[in-house]
Amino acid sequence: MDFASVAKAALEKRANLIAELRSVEADTALSEAEKRERVERIDTDVRGLEVEARDAVERGEREAEVRSLAARAGGLVLPGTPEARQDERDEAAELRSVARGDLPGVDFDLRTATTGTAANAGNTYATTFVAQVIEAMRVRSDFFSKARTLTTGSGETLEYPVKNGRPTASQVAENTPYGKSDGSWSKTNIGAYKYGVIVEATSEIVDDSQLDILGILAEDAGEAVADKVMADLLIGNGTGKPWGWITRATGAVNAANLAGVTTDNLIDLQHSILKPYRRNAVFMTSDSAVQNLRKLKDSTGNYIWQPALTAGAPDTILGTAIMTDPNVVTSGAGAKVLVYGDPSKYLIRQVKSLRVVRSDEYGYDRDVVAFKVTWRGSGDLFDLASVKALTVTA
Protein backbone atom coordinates (compact mmCIF):
# COMPACT_ATOMS: atom_id res chain seq x y z
CA MET A 1 0.00 0.00 0.00
CA ASP A 2 1.42 3.39 -1.00
CA PHE A 3 1.54 6.49 1.19
CA ALA A 4 -1.54 8.05 -0.48
CA SER A 5 -3.62 4.91 0.11
CA VAL A 6 -2.54 4.76 3.76
CA ALA A 7 -3.50 8.41 4.29
CA LYS A 8 -6.84 7.95 2.51
CA ALA A 9 -7.72 4.86 4.55
CA ALA A 10 -6.87 6.65 7.81
CA LEU A 11 -8.98 9.69 6.87
CA GLU A 12 -11.94 7.48 5.92
CA LYS A 13 -11.77 5.76 9.31
CA ARG A 14 -11.55 9.19 10.95
CA ALA A 15 -14.68 10.35 9.10
CA ASN A 16 -16.59 7.31 10.36
CA LEU A 17 -15.48 8.00 13.91
CA ILE A 18 -16.55 11.65 13.66
CA ALA A 19 -20.01 10.47 12.59
CA GLU A 20 -20.07 8.08 15.54
CA LEU A 21 -18.96 10.90 17.85
CA ARG A 22 -21.84 13.10 16.75
CA SER A 23 -24.26 10.21 17.24
CA VAL A 24 -23.03 9.69 20.81
CA GLU A 25 -23.34 13.39 21.62
CA ALA A 26 -26.93 13.41 20.34
CA ASP A 27 -27.96 10.21 22.17
CA THR A 28 -30.33 11.30 24.96
CA ALA A 29 -30.46 7.77 26.40
CA LEU A 30 -26.88 8.06 27.62
CA SER A 31 -25.91 9.66 30.89
CA GLU A 32 -23.38 12.49 30.90
CA ALA A 33 -20.75 10.18 32.38
CA GLU A 34 -21.33 7.57 29.65
CA LYS A 35 -21.20 10.24 26.97
CA ARG A 36 -17.96 11.67 28.34
CA GLU A 37 -16.37 8.21 28.51
CA ARG A 38 -17.33 7.33 24.91
CA VAL A 39 -16.39 10.75 23.54
CA GLU A 40 -12.95 10.58 25.13
CA ARG A 41 -12.34 7.12 23.74
CA ILE A 42 -13.44 8.07 20.22
CA ASP A 43 -11.45 11.29 20.39
CA THR A 44 -8.28 9.34 21.23
CA ASP A 45 -8.83 7.11 18.16
CA VAL A 46 -9.51 10.17 15.98
CA ARG A 47 -6.24 11.82 17.02
CA GLY A 48 -4.35 8.59 16.36
CA LEU A 49 -5.76 8.40 12.83
CA GLU A 50 -4.90 12.06 12.22
CA VAL A 51 -1.28 11.36 13.18
CA GLU A 52 -1.25 8.28 10.91
CA ALA A 53 -2.63 10.23 7.94
CA ARG A 54 -0.28 13.17 8.51
CA ASP A 55 2.68 10.82 8.79
CA ALA A 56 1.78 9.07 5.50
CA VAL A 57 1.37 12.37 3.63
CA GLU A 58 4.63 13.78 4.95
CA ARG A 59 6.56 10.61 4.17
CA GLY A 60 5.12 10.63 0.64
CA GLU A 61 6.19 14.24 0.20
CA ARG A 62 9.68 13.43 1.49
CA GLU A 63 9.93 10.47 -0.87
CA ALA A 64 9.07 12.71 -3.81
CA GLU A 65 11.61 15.30 -2.63
CA VAL A 66 14.36 12.69 -2.23
CA ARG A 67 13.73 11.34 -5.72
CA SER A 68 13.95 14.85 -7.11
CA LEU A 69 17.21 15.45 -5.26
CA ALA A 70 18.53 12.09 -6.41
CA ALA A 71 17.91 13.00 -10.02
CA ARG A 72 19.98 16.19 -9.54
CA ALA A 73 22.72 14.59 -7.43
CA GLY A 74 23.58 11.86 -9.90
CA GLY A 75 25.79 9.96 -7.45
CA LEU A 76 22.91 8.94 -5.20
CA VAL A 77 21.26 5.64 -6.07
CA LEU A 78 17.71 4.92 -4.98
CA PRO A 79 16.55 1.48 -3.86
CA GLY A 80 14.80 -0.59 -6.50
CA THR A 81 16.19 1.29 -9.51
CA PRO A 82 18.26 -0.46 -12.20
CA GLU A 83 21.30 1.56 -11.12
CA ALA A 84 20.99 0.14 -7.62
CA ARG A 85 21.45 -3.36 -8.98
CA GLN A 86 24.58 -2.68 -11.00
CA ASP A 87 27.67 -4.43 -9.68
CA GLU A 88 30.30 -2.18 -11.31
CA ARG A 89 30.40 1.14 -9.45
CA ASP A 90 33.08 3.61 -8.42
CA GLU A 91 32.24 3.88 -4.72
CA ALA A 92 35.09 6.27 -3.90
CA ALA A 93 33.92 8.66 -6.62
CA GLU A 94 30.37 8.60 -5.22
CA LEU A 95 31.63 9.43 -1.73
CA ARG A 96 33.70 12.33 -3.02
CA SER A 97 30.70 13.54 -5.03
CA VAL A 98 28.62 13.77 -1.84
CA ALA A 99 31.44 15.49 0.02
CA ARG A 100 31.93 18.16 -2.65
CA GLY A 101 28.38 19.41 -2.11
CA ASP A 102 26.27 17.71 -4.76
CA LEU A 103 23.88 16.95 -1.90
CA PRO A 104 24.13 19.84 0.60
CA GLY A 105 21.49 18.64 3.07
CA VAL A 106 18.48 16.35 3.10
CA ASP A 107 16.32 14.33 5.47
CA PHE A 108 16.49 10.55 5.41
CA ASP A 109 14.21 8.16 7.28
CA LEU A 110 16.06 5.90 9.72
CA ARG A 111 13.95 3.01 8.47
CA THR A 112 14.98 3.46 4.83
CA ALA A 113 18.15 1.40 5.01
CA THR A 114 18.18 -1.87 6.89
CA THR A 115 20.97 -4.17 7.91
CA GLY A 116 21.44 -7.54 6.34
CA THR A 117 21.24 -8.56 2.70
CA ALA A 118 22.29 -6.51 -0.29
CA ALA A 119 18.69 -6.40 -1.44
CA ASN A 120 17.74 -4.49 1.70
CA ALA A 121 20.49 -1.90 1.76
CA GLY A 122 23.87 -3.24 0.78
CA ASN A 123 23.74 -2.22 -2.87
CA THR A 124 21.70 0.95 -2.50
CA TYR A 125 22.61 3.54 0.12
CA ALA A 126 25.65 1.82 1.57
CA THR A 127 28.17 3.95 -0.30
CA THR A 128 26.77 7.34 0.68
CA PHE A 129 27.69 9.33 3.75
CA VAL A 130 24.10 9.73 4.87
CA ALA A 131 23.30 6.03 4.67
CA GLN A 132 26.41 5.10 6.59
CA VAL A 133 25.31 7.42 9.39
CA ILE A 134 21.89 5.77 9.37
CA GLU A 135 23.37 2.30 9.31
CA ALA A 136 25.70 3.07 12.22
CA MET A 137 22.73 4.27 14.30
CA ARG A 138 20.69 1.15 13.55
CA VAL A 139 23.52 -1.32 14.08
CA ARG A 140 24.53 0.30 17.36
CA SER A 141 21.42 -1.07 19.07
CA ASP A 142 18.85 -3.66 17.99
CA PHE A 143 16.32 -1.94 20.22
CA PHE A 144 15.81 0.90 17.73
CA SER A 145 14.59 -1.49 15.03
CA LYS A 146 12.37 -3.51 17.40
CA ALA A 147 10.56 -0.59 19.02
CA ARG A 148 7.62 1.12 17.34
CA THR A 149 8.57 4.31 15.48
CA LEU A 150 6.30 7.29 14.85
CA THR A 151 7.60 10.05 12.57
CA THR A 152 5.98 13.47 12.96
CA GLY A 153 6.37 16.60 10.87
CA SER A 154 6.90 18.93 13.83
CA GLY A 155 8.08 18.74 17.40
CA GLU A 156 5.02 19.73 19.43
CA THR A 157 4.29 17.67 22.54
CA LEU A 158 2.13 14.62 21.86
CA GLU A 159 -0.35 13.20 24.33
CA TYR A 160 -0.22 9.42 23.99
CA PRO A 161 -2.41 6.87 25.82
CA VAL A 162 -0.69 4.49 28.24
CA LYS A 163 -2.31 1.17 29.17
CA ASN A 164 -1.92 0.44 32.89
CA GLY A 165 -4.27 -2.52 33.14
CA ARG A 166 -6.49 -4.84 31.12
CA PRO A 167 -10.29 -5.18 31.14
CA THR A 168 -11.73 -8.32 32.71
CA ALA A 169 -14.75 -10.32 31.59
CA SER A 170 -17.19 -12.32 33.71
CA GLN A 171 -19.91 -14.87 33.20
CA VAL A 172 -23.28 -13.29 32.46
CA ALA A 173 -26.48 -14.95 33.65
CA GLU A 174 -29.66 -14.88 31.61
CA ASN A 175 -31.51 -11.57 31.62
CA THR A 176 -28.86 -9.78 33.70
CA PRO A 177 -26.77 -6.74 32.78
CA TYR A 178 -23.23 -7.16 31.49
CA GLY A 179 -20.47 -6.01 33.78
CA LYS A 180 -18.34 -3.07 32.71
CA SER A 181 -14.58 -3.18 32.62
CA ASP A 182 -12.54 -0.66 30.68
CA GLY A 183 -9.13 -1.55 32.06
CA SER A 184 -6.94 1.27 33.27
CA TRP A 185 -5.58 4.06 31.11
CA SER A 186 -3.49 7.15 31.64
CA LYS A 187 -1.58 9.35 29.22
CA THR A 188 2.00 10.44 28.72
CA ASN A 189 3.40 13.54 27.08
CA ILE A 190 6.05 12.77 24.46
CA GLY A 191 8.12 15.79 23.49
CA ALA A 192 11.17 16.08 21.25
CA TYR A 193 14.79 16.43 22.34
CA LYS A 194 17.61 17.29 19.97
CA TYR A 195 20.78 15.21 19.65
CA GLY A 196 23.65 15.91 17.32
CA VAL A 197 27.33 16.12 16.48
CA ILE A 198 29.62 17.83 13.95
CA VAL A 199 32.40 15.88 12.24
CA GLU A 200 35.10 17.38 10.01
CA ALA A 201 37.34 16.33 7.14
CA THR A 202 39.94 18.40 5.26
CA SER A 203 39.48 18.85 1.53
CA GLU A 204 42.78 17.08 0.95
CA ILE A 205 41.56 13.96 2.73
CA VAL A 206 38.26 13.97 0.87
CA ASP A 207 39.90 14.44 -2.53
CA ASP A 208 43.06 12.37 -2.21
CA SER A 209 42.66 9.61 0.35
CA GLN A 210 42.44 6.03 -0.86
CA LEU A 211 40.76 5.09 2.41
CA ASP A 212 37.03 5.40 2.97
CA ILE A 213 37.52 8.50 5.13
CA LEU A 214 33.94 9.67 4.76
CA GLY A 215 32.69 6.22 5.64
CA ILE A 216 34.78 6.28 8.81
CA LEU A 217 33.48 9.75 9.72
CA ALA A 218 29.90 8.69 8.98
CA GLU A 219 30.21 5.63 11.17
CA ASP A 220 31.73 7.66 14.01
CA ALA A 221 29.00 10.30 13.77
CA GLY A 222 26.21 7.74 13.65
CA GLU A 223 27.60 5.83 16.62
CA ALA A 224 28.08 9.02 18.65
CA VAL A 225 24.45 10.10 18.13
CA ALA A 226 23.13 6.57 18.60
CA ASP A 227 25.01 6.07 21.87
CA LYS A 228 23.45 9.16 23.41
CA VAL A 229 19.97 8.59 21.96
CA MET A 230 19.84 4.94 22.99
CA ALA A 231 21.05 5.70 26.51
CA ASP A 232 18.10 8.04 27.00
CA LEU A 233 15.59 5.72 25.29
CA LEU A 234 16.63 2.91 27.63
CA ILE A 235 17.41 4.54 30.98
CA GLY A 236 16.10 8.11 30.67
CA ASN A 237 14.17 9.36 33.71
CA GLY A 238 11.68 11.57 31.88
CA THR A 239 13.20 14.81 33.17
CA GLY A 240 14.62 16.71 30.22
CA LYS A 241 14.91 13.43 28.38
CA PRO A 242 12.72 10.49 27.31
CA TRP A 243 11.29 7.87 29.64
CA GLY A 244 13.48 4.81 29.16
CA TRP A 245 12.26 1.29 28.42
CA ILE A 246 14.33 -0.11 31.28
CA THR A 247 13.32 2.74 33.58
CA ARG A 248 9.64 1.93 33.04
CA ALA A 249 10.14 -1.80 33.70
CA THR A 250 8.98 -2.85 37.16
CA GLY A 251 10.82 -5.46 39.19
CA ALA A 252 9.25 -8.93 39.12
CA VAL A 253 12.09 -11.25 40.19
CA ASN A 254 14.92 -10.66 42.65
CA ALA A 255 18.34 -12.23 43.12
CA ALA A 256 21.10 -11.54 45.61
CA ASN A 257 23.49 -10.41 42.87
CA LEU A 258 24.29 -11.02 39.22
CA ALA A 259 26.34 -14.12 39.95
CA GLY A 260 23.40 -15.55 41.91
CA VAL A 261 20.92 -15.43 39.01
CA THR A 262 19.53 -18.91 38.32
CA THR A 263 17.69 -20.62 35.50
CA ASP A 264 14.56 -20.61 37.65
CA ASN A 265 14.88 -16.83 37.99
CA LEU A 266 14.81 -16.47 34.20
CA ILE A 267 11.79 -18.76 33.88
CA ASP A 268 9.97 -16.75 36.55
CA LEU A 269 10.86 -13.53 34.73
CA GLN A 270 9.46 -14.87 31.46
CA HIS A 271 6.18 -15.76 33.11
CA SER A 272 5.89 -12.42 34.88
CA ILE A 273 4.40 -10.99 31.67
CA LEU A 274 1.33 -12.33 29.88
CA LYS A 275 1.65 -14.79 27.02
CA PRO A 276 0.66 -12.30 24.26
CA TYR A 277 3.65 -10.13 25.20
CA ARG A 278 5.99 -13.13 25.14
CA ARG A 279 5.50 -13.64 21.40
CA ASN A 280 7.76 -10.65 20.60
CA ALA A 281 9.64 -10.48 23.88
CA VAL A 282 13.43 -10.33 24.22
CA PHE A 283 15.91 -10.36 27.06
CA MET A 284 18.23 -7.38 27.48
CA THR A 285 21.26 -7.24 29.73
CA SER A 286 24.84 -5.98 29.79
CA ASP A 287 27.61 -7.68 27.88
CA SER A 288 29.43 -8.44 31.13
CA ALA A 289 26.34 -10.24 32.48
CA VAL A 290 26.33 -12.56 29.48
CA GLN A 291 29.33 -14.40 30.91
CA ASN A 292 27.23 -15.55 33.89
CA LEU A 293 24.12 -16.32 31.85
CA ARG A 294 26.03 -18.52 29.39
CA LYS A 295 26.97 -20.88 32.24
CA LEU A 296 23.38 -21.55 33.33
CA LYS A 297 22.01 -25.06 32.70
CA ASP A 298 18.61 -26.71 32.81
CA SER A 299 17.62 -29.67 35.00
CA THR A 300 19.19 -32.14 32.56
CA GLY A 301 22.54 -30.38 32.52
CA ASN A 302 22.14 -28.68 29.12
CA TYR A 303 23.12 -25.06 28.68
CA ILE A 304 20.08 -22.81 28.26
CA TRP A 305 22.19 -20.40 26.19
CA GLN A 306 22.23 -21.15 22.47
CA PRO A 307 24.54 -19.21 20.15
CA ALA A 308 23.19 -17.99 16.81
CA LEU A 309 23.80 -20.42 13.95
CA THR A 310 23.66 -17.78 11.19
CA ALA A 311 25.32 -14.39 10.84
CA GLY A 312 23.15 -11.52 12.03
CA ALA A 313 20.78 -13.73 14.03
CA PRO A 314 20.60 -13.18 17.81
CA ASP A 315 21.82 -15.59 20.47
CA THR A 316 18.99 -17.08 22.50
CA ILE A 317 18.41 -18.09 26.10
CA LEU A 318 15.46 -20.33 26.96
CA GLY A 319 14.54 -20.03 23.29
CA THR A 320 14.28 -16.21 23.46
CA ALA A 321 16.52 -13.69 21.71
CA ILE A 322 18.88 -11.77 23.97
CA MET A 323 20.24 -8.28 23.32
CA THR A 324 23.09 -6.57 25.12
CA ASP A 325 23.51 -2.90 25.83
CA PRO A 326 26.17 -1.05 27.85
CA ASN A 327 23.48 1.03 29.57
CA VAL A 328 22.19 -1.96 31.58
CA VAL A 329 23.73 -1.86 35.06
CA THR A 330 25.31 -4.91 36.71
CA SER A 331 25.09 -4.20 40.45
CA GLY A 332 23.61 -2.01 43.17
CA ALA A 333 20.62 -2.22 45.48
CA GLY A 334 17.51 -2.58 43.34
CA ALA A 335 19.52 -2.48 40.11
CA LYS A 336 17.72 -3.85 37.05
CA VAL A 337 20.40 -6.18 35.70
CA LEU A 338 18.12 -8.01 33.24
CA VAL A 339 14.87 -7.00 31.58
CA TYR A 340 12.40 -9.09 29.61
CA GLY A 341 9.61 -7.68 27.50
CA ASP A 342 8.13 -6.70 24.15
CA PRO A 343 10.04 -3.72 22.67
CA SER A 344 7.24 -3.04 20.17
CA LYS A 345 5.21 -1.64 23.08
CA TYR A 346 7.73 1.19 23.34
CA LEU A 347 7.09 4.21 21.10
CA ILE A 348 10.03 6.10 19.59
CA ARG A 349 8.80 9.47 18.33
CA GLN A 350 11.13 11.13 15.84
CA VAL A 351 10.61 14.58 14.33
CA LYS A 352 10.90 14.30 10.57
CA SER A 353 13.99 12.13 10.20
CA LEU A 354 17.72 11.99 10.70
CA ARG A 355 19.23 15.10 9.12
CA VAL A 356 22.74 15.40 7.72
CA VAL A 357 23.90 18.82 6.51
CA ARG A 358 27.20 19.58 4.78
CA SER A 359 28.92 22.97 5.19
CA ASP A 360 31.98 24.46 3.47
CA GLU A 361 31.69 27.73 5.41
CA TYR A 362 31.98 26.16 8.87
CA GLY A 363 35.73 25.58 8.44
CA TYR A 364 36.35 27.89 5.49
CA ASP A 365 39.59 29.35 6.90
CA ARG A 366 41.00 25.85 7.42
CA ASP A 367 39.70 24.36 4.16
CA VAL A 368 37.60 21.91 6.15
CA VAL A 369 34.36 20.22 5.15
CA ALA A 370 31.95 19.74 8.06
CA PHE A 371 28.97 17.43 8.42
CA LYS A 372 26.32 18.11 11.06
CA VAL A 373 24.19 15.15 12.13
CA THR A 374 20.92 15.90 13.97
CA TRP A 375 18.18 13.68 15.36
CA ARG A 376 15.13 14.98 17.24
CA GLY A 377 12.81 12.76 19.15
CA SER A 378 11.80 11.06 22.35
CA GLY A 379 10.09 7.91 23.54
CA ASP A 380 7.98 6.22 26.21
CA LEU A 381 6.40 2.88 27.03
CA PHE A 382 2.68 2.79 26.23
CA ASP A 383 1.89 -0.60 27.79
CA LEU A 384 3.32 -0.87 31.30
CA ALA A 385 2.57 -4.58 31.64
CA SER A 386 4.70 -5.51 28.61
CA VAL A 387 8.15 -5.49 30.30
CA LYS A 388 9.50 -6.66 33.63
CA ALA A 389 12.91 -6.60 35.29
CA LEU A 390 15.12 -8.89 37.34
CA THR A 391 16.62 -6.86 40.17
CA VAL A 392 19.45 -7.56 42.60
CA THR A 393 19.88 -6.60 46.23
CA ALA A 394 23.57 -5.69 45.87
Side-chain angles (χ1 to χ4, degrees), residues 6-7 9-17 42-55:
V6 172
L11 291 174
E12 288 176 349
K13 292 179 182 178
R14 179 187 179 278
N16 292 334
L17 286 176
I42 294 172
D43 186 57
T44 298
D45 292 339
V46 167
R47 283 182 289 168
L49 289 168
E50 289 171 352
V51 171
E52 181 180 343
R54 188 182 301 112
D55 179 45

Side-chain angles (χ1 to χ4, degrees), residues 107-353:
D107 293 335
F108 283 84
D109 196 324
L110 280 171
R111 292 167 291 175
T112 299
T114 59
T115 59
T117 63
N120 285 338
N123 290 337
T124 54
Y125 283 92
T127 60
T128 67
F129 184 94
V130 172
Q132 284 172 295
V133 174
I134 294 171
E135 191 72 1
M137 286 192 68
R138 291 179 58 88
V139 172
R140 201 64 172 174
S141 177
D142 293 332
F143 182 77
F144 207 109
S145 61
K146 293 184 179 297
R148 184 177 299 185
T149 303
L150 172 67
T151 302
T152 59
S154 56
E156 75 276 6
T157 299
L158 298 180
E159 288 188 353
Y160 209 83
V162 175
K163 184 163 68 173
N164 302 315
R166 300 168 61 87
T168 56
S170 59
Q171 189 179 64
V172 181
E174 182 181 359
N175 197 31
T176 59
Y178 280 70
K180 295 181 179 180
S181 178
D182 295 330
S184 175
W185 291 85
S186 61
K187 63 182 179 181
T188 184
N189 293 325
I190 302 180
Y193 305 102
K194 184 163 65 176
Y195 302 82
V197 68
I198 292 177
V199 293
E200 299 178 345
T202 65
S203 295
E204 290 85 353
I205 290 179
V206 172
D207 293 336
D208 304 336
S209 179
Q210 296 302 308
L211 296 176
D212 184 8
I213 295 298
L214 292 181
I216 295 172
L217 289 175
E219 185 175 357
D220 288 346
E223 290 180 353
V225 174
D227 286 347
K228 181 57 180 174
V229 170
M230 291 315 304
D232 286 355
L233 293 180
L234 290 175
I235 60 172
N237 61 9
T239 302
K241 60 184 67 175
W243 275 107
W245 188 57
I246 296 174
T247 305
R248 287 293 202 189
T250 55
V253 180
N254 183 260
N257 50 45
L258 187 58
V261 174
T262 66
T263 300
D264 287 348
N265 289 150
L266 300 186
I267 294 173
D268 290 342
L269 183 60
Q270 283 187 313
H271 287 270
S272 67
I273 65 175
L274 296 176
K275 186 176 181 179
Y277 299 131
R278 297 202 295 267
R279 296 193 188 103
N280 298 316
V282 299
F283 285 108
M284 178 180 283
T285 190
S286 64
D287 190 63
S288 60
V290 167
Q291 181 178 3
N292 292 315
L293 297 179
R294 293 185 66 175
K295 299 174 183 177
L296 296 178
K297 300 178 181 180
D298 60 19
S299 58
T300 60
N302 295 315
Y303 287 102
I304 63 174
W305 178 282
Q306 294 295 324
L309 299 179
T310 57
D315 297 329
T316 62
I317 189 166
L318 292 175
T320 299
I322 184 166
M323 302 187 299
T324 60
D325 193 279
N327 294 293
V328 185
V329 296
T330 58
S331 62
K336 301 171 184 177
V337 299
L338 179 71
V339 293
Y340 176 76
D342 183 356
S344 69
K345 303 303 181 182
Y346 186 89
L347 179 71
I348 298 177
R349 181 265 183 100
Q350 64 177 5
V351 179
K352 295 184 178 178
S353 301

